[in-house]
Amino acid sequence: MSETQMRRIDAELARHHPKLLSSSVHPGAVETGLVNNLKLTHWLFAPVSTMGNIVSPEEGTFNYLWAVSARRNIIKKGSFYEPVSVFSSEDAAVAKYKE
């Protein structure tokens, strides 16, 4: 499932089930076999697309740990969070447009 699909599902869950707290979290670029074993052309693109912020597997869990331990009133329903606990600027732009 793509990131865009997950964002859409979370937004729809939030809209149709207001009592449900649903949001998406992204671990960031984690230094695992998936990143380390990329072909040369993809490997050259990965640091550029992540701005060189490739984190250890331990650090890759921080966003998930934040999401499950944060107070409910801090997390916005149907939102997307980038590492760590950063509300996606794209979601902020959509929310501002809807107001």
Side-chain angles (χ1 to χ4, degrees), residues 29-45:
V30 181
E31 189 175 359
T32 62
L34 185 63
V35 172
N36 293 337
N37 296 327
L38 291 172
K39 293 180 182 176
L40 179 61
T41 53
H42 293 122
W43 187 84
L44 292 172
F45 178 71

Side-chain angles (χ1 to χ4, degrees), residues 4-91:
T4 304
Q5 289 170 321
M6 280 303 284
R7 284 180 172 204
R8 188 68 189 153
I9 288 170
D10 284 331
E12 290 300 313
L13 280 171
R15 190 166 65 92
H16 291 290
H17 304 283
K19 291 184 180 180
L20 180 68
L21 178 59
S22 173
S23 62
S24 297
V25 293
H26 192 288
V30 181
E31 189 175 359
T32 62
L34 185 63
V35 172
N36 293 337
N37 296 327
L38 291 172
K39 293 180 182 176
L40 179 61
T41 53
H42 293 122
W43 187 84
L44 292 172
F45 178 71
V48 172
S49 65
T50 62
M51 292 189 267
N53 294 329
I54 298 176
V55 298
S56 70
E58 293 80 13
E59 292 172 311
T61 64
F62 292 172
N63 213 27
Y64 295 108
L65 294 172
W66 170 82
V68 299
S69 62
R71 293 190 317 263
R72 288 181 61 90
N73 62 342
I74 291 176
I75 299 175
K76 296 177 176 89
K77 293 180 180 183
S79 58
F80 179 78
Y81 289 90
E82 298 171 357
V84 170
S85 73
V86 177
F87 184 60
S88 172
S89 56
E90 182 179 319
D91 279 351

